[in-house]
Amino acid sequence: QIGSSVVDRAGVILAGVFLPMRAVAVYAIATALIDYARALVGGIRTTLAPQASALEGQGQRDALHDLTLRGVRYCSLLVLPIAATFAVRGATFIGLWMGREFGAPSGEILAILAVRLACLGATGAVGNVMLGASRERAVAVLCVAEASITVAMVLLLVGPFGLLGVAWGAALPTVAAALLVWPWLLRESLGVEIRRYLSASWSRPATALLPFGAATWLVEELWAPPSLFLFVVQVAVLLPIAFLGIWYVGLSDEERRECLELVGRRRAVTATHS
């Protein structure tokens, strides 16, 4: 927990030490949005640990692998539309929300931290599964190592690159861990193939949400919103594109059937009570 807190807060703290207070405000706006987005996927992540614990206790290794890959894919599918919106339209949103003087600088920081956010969906799911499967020592070592490297990277980059260096110093260790360390650790600890993990965490979710990302970019380029209300309306109009990609590409046939059956049961229960 200490390691995770250091990773999350190192940028703000070190920016306050080495840069003017206005830079801290610019950085804090971006990190606040990242925190809000991470809270959205927290509900999925926290359900994985008890399920993983039960499967590990029963010796159901194949079911544990399936739970891991499903959790990784679901979290990535949920977080990628948010990360894409932050990366493409973050400056516009912050300018309408906090004022034009914060739009460009905070938006640039948000775009960098959105890359880190895209990685945190998958790694957060893996971390919770490993904690539930009694692999807490490996998770703790990785979190402490990432925290140490993050602090070192920020200290190295803040001088020559200023606030952008702080953002990249916070993002790059998480990206490297997501692409290199977590897949290896998952294979060594639980036996999940790296190829299957990368497909579940990146390939399939990215393919599913590519149309949404393209549509978001087009709206940003062609339809500048004059107000925060219109910005929210634009995002709401684009969300069905993300939903369709998730439904037809992100989910399997079996998962779609499960969703439809769940909706049918809910409707039946509602009709019975009414």
Side-chain angles (χ1 to χ4, degrees), residues 62-113:
D62 290 341
L64 182 60
H65 290 182
D66 181 66
L67 172 69
T68 304
L69 296 174
R70 277 197 180 204
V72 164
R73 179 158 45 89
Y74 293 165
C75 287
S76 292
L77 287 169
L78 182 58
V79 82
L80 281 180
I82 304 172
T85 301
F86 282 172
V88 176
R89 310 201 67 198
T92 299
F93 173 74
I94 294 173
L96 295 170
W97 175 41
M98 297 296 296
R100 292 183 179 179
E101 67 275 17
F102 289 104
S106 289
E108 196 171 12
I109 299 301
L110 183 60
I112 297 171
L113 296 181

Side-chain angles (χ1 to χ4, degrees), residues 12-263:
V12 173
I13 295 172
L14 294 177
V17 173
F18 292 100
L19 298 173
M21 287 307 298
R22 174 177 169 77
V24 178
V26 168
Y27 195 89
I29 291 171
T31 56
L33 291 172
I34 297 296
D35 289 342
Y36 296 149
R38 291 180 64 184
L40 292 176
V41 298
I44 294 179
R45 291 200 310 265
T46 54
T47 65
L48 296 174
Q51 295 181 67
S53 180
L55 294 174
E56 176 72 8
Q58 297 165 9
Q60 299 186 35
R61 182 55 62 91
D62 290 341
L64 182 60
H65 290 182
D66 181 66
L67 172 69
T68 304
L69 296 174
R70 277 197 180 204
V72 164
R73 179 158 45 89
Y74 293 165
C75 287
S76 292
L77 287 169
L78 182 58
V79 82
L80 281 180
I82 304 172
T85 301
F86 282 172
V88 176
R89 310 201 67 198
T92 299
F93 173 74
I94 294 173
L96 295 170
W97 175 41
M98 297 296 296
R100 292 183 179 179
E101 67 275 17
F102 289 104
S106 289
E108 196 171 12
I109 299 301
L110 183 60
I112 297 171
L113 296 181
V115 178
R116 179 172 183 264
L117 174 64
C119 297
L120 290 174
T123 58
V126 173
N128 276 271
V129 168
M130 292 185 64
L131 288 174
S134 300
R135 306 301 196 277
E136 63 278 348
R137 182 182 297 273
V139 176
V141 169
L142 180 53
C143 286
V144 172
E146 185 179 339
S148 302
I149 295 172
T150 298
V151 172
M153 287 286 291
V154 172
L155 291 173
L156 180 67
L157 298 177
V158 64
F161 300 106
L163 202 56
L164 291 179
V166 175
W168 281 117
L172 288 177
T174 300
V175 174
L179 295 178
L180 301 174
V181 183
W182 280 107
W184 172 82
L185 186 61
L186 189 59
R187 184 191 65 184
E188 296 299 312
S189 300
L190 300 180
V192 177
E193 296 179 7
I194 292 178
R195 176 185 57 81
R196 296 183 65 195
Y197 168 76
L198 293 177
S199 175
S201 60
W202 293 107
S203 301
R204 192 167 179 177
T207 302
L209 293 163
L210 184 60
F212 172 80
T216 298
W217 179 82
L218 284 174
V219 169
E220 177 66 14
E221 291 295 316
L222 302 178
W223 187 13
S227 66
L228 187 59
F229 174 77
L230 183 56
F231 181 93
V232 174
V233 170
Q234 290 175 341
V235 174
V237 170
L238 292 172
L239 283 178
I241 301 176
F243 175 79
L244 290 173
I246 292 171
W247 182 257
Y248 287 107
V249 180
L251 302 181
S252 66
D253 293 339
E254 179 184 355
E255 289 166 339
R256 288 194 292 270
R257 284 195 298 270
E258 291 175 354
C259 290
L260 293 174
E261 290 173 1
L262 178 62
V263 171

